[in-house]
Amino acid sequence: MRAALHLAYNGTHFFGSQTQKETSDTVLGELENVLKKLGIEQKVVASGRTDKGVHATMQVCHIDLPPYWDDMEKLKKVLNKMLCDALHVKRIIHVKDDFHARYSAKKRSYRYIIKTKQKNPFESDFVTFLEDVNLQQIQQNIALFVGEHDFRQFMKTGSDVKSTTRIIYRAFAYQYKGYIVLYFEANGFLRSQIRLMVGALLTLPKDAIQAQLNCTQKYKIKPAPPNGLYLAKIKY
């Protein structure tokens, strides 16, 4: 019996989302450890991975549950009592047997949050503080990423993918209650792609971003910090 889990988590407390041999302090590592205590040994499959320090307001996973766990609401309540405070199960629903959290996903959305006001310790894990941001320039340049492009120069080295081409359906920036929000929606993203795109928007002029995107010239881009990045939504 396959089920989909909708998760929210504070990435500050985890070494990324995927399970790792070196540590159990990952999102799926924490979740699978708790599931095992409930007699559920099956592997959890996520829609995609997030880096260390990156948050999620909605990550989607799937798992094949044993038949005795057919009460999804009860399972959600039990999990939330046992999981650490940095990870929360928002919803568990029955799905078709051929549903796959990663391969069935059609669109993925992320938000990157910046604040230019004085840094404070209550938001430092969740917002990237910068002294000065040219919002108008970001709003003009972020549109360059929309469309189908080869993003091989906006990818962290060491990535193992068959294709570096992705389609970005929407990319825009706006101001909301003192925060600057950058929004990206695509059919998929490469490793650290969004952090590198945000880094380019913060440091490079329009011509340089275009050249980097066209793969005609490569600039050294520092990825934006992970704490401002949120996996926001998965569409199926």
Side-chain angles (χ1 to χ4, degrees):
M1 181 173 59
R2 184 158 293 191
L5 293 79
H6 296 181
L7 310 177
Y9 51 83
N10 176 353
T12 308
H13 297 269
F14 299 106
F15 288 92
S17 60
Q18 293 298 109
T19 54
Q20 299 178 31
K21 294 180 180 179
E22 300 80 11
T23 178
S24 61
D25 292 333
T26 67
V27 175
L28 296 192
E30 166 74 8
L31 181 58
E32 288 183 352
N33 284 341
V34 172
L35 287 167
K36 286 176 183 177
K37 295 176 182 178
L38 300 174
I40 303 172
E41 299 282 344
Q42 285 76 8
K43 183 180 179 181
V44 179
V45 179
S47 65
R49 63 180 60 195
T50 54
D51 294 336
K52 177 183 177 182
V54 176
H55 316 291
T57 55
M58 195 185 84
Q59 168 73 277
V60 179
C61 306
H62 82 254
I63 187 172
D64 293 322
L65 295 172
Y68 54 82
W69 273 110
D70 59 349
D71 189 335
M72 300 294 97
E73 190 62 27
K74 180 180 179 181
L75 178 59
K76 185 187 81 168
K77 290 180 180 179
V78 172
L79 286 174
N80 284 329
K81 284 183 179 180
M82 298 176 68
L83 290 167
C84 68
D85 292 339
L87 175 58
H88 180 74
V89 180
K90 300 174 72 173
R91 189 183 182 201
I92 305 178
I93 56 173
H94 290 293
V95 290
K96 295 180 180 179
D97 291 341
D98 62 351
F99 172 85
H100 195 285
R102 180 181 177 187
Y103 298 125
S104 299
K106 292 181 172 60
K107 295 181 180 180
R108 296 167 171 85
S109 302
Y110 281 81
R111 288 186 178 90
Y112 196 92
I113 302 177
I114 299 170
K115 197 171 187 179
T116 56
K117 294 184 179 180
Q118 185 175 359
K119 187 175 182 179
N120 69 77
F122 307 106
E123 295 182 294
S124 59
D125 288 342
F126 308 106
V127 177
T128 295
F129 285 88
L130 298 173
E131 290 185 3
D132 184 47
V133 174
N134 188 333
L135 177 58
Q136 185 175 5
Q137 181 176 301
I138 289 175
Q139 289 174 323
Q140 292 174 350
N141 293 346
I142 197 171
L144 297 172
F145 294 114
V146 177
E148 184 173 346
H149 303 283
D150 183 347
F151 286 97
R152 67 176 182 264
Q153 295 193 162
F154 290 92
M155 175 182 68
K156 200 170 185 178
T157 57
S159 302
D160 184 19
V161 291
K162 293 181 180 179
S163 172
T164 53
T165 298
R166 297 291 185 271
I167 303 173
I168 294 187
Y169 302 106
R170 293 197 293 167
F172 55 88
Y174 60 96
Q175 195 156 17
Y176 178 76
K177 294 184 177 180
Y179 300 92
I180 293 173
V181 182
L182 282 65
Y183 179 89
F184 302 90
E185 181 182 275
N187 63 345
F189 294 95
L190 302 167
R191 186 182 177 193
S192 296
Q193 179 183 337
I194 297 175
R195 291 173 59 199
L196 285 165
M197 290 193 298
V198 174
L201 289 168
L202 293 172
T203 59
L204 296 181
K206 181 177 181 179
D207 291 347
I209 295 175
Q210 189 68 68
Q212 183 91 354
L213 194 57
N214 293 340
C215 302
T216 56
Q217 192 165 348
K218 189 168 185 177
Y219 296 87
K220 188 174 181 179
I221 304 171
K222 185 178 180 180
N227 56 303
L229 184 58
Y230 293 76
L231 172 57
K233 194 171 184 179
I234 311 294
K235 295 181 181 179
Y236 292 93

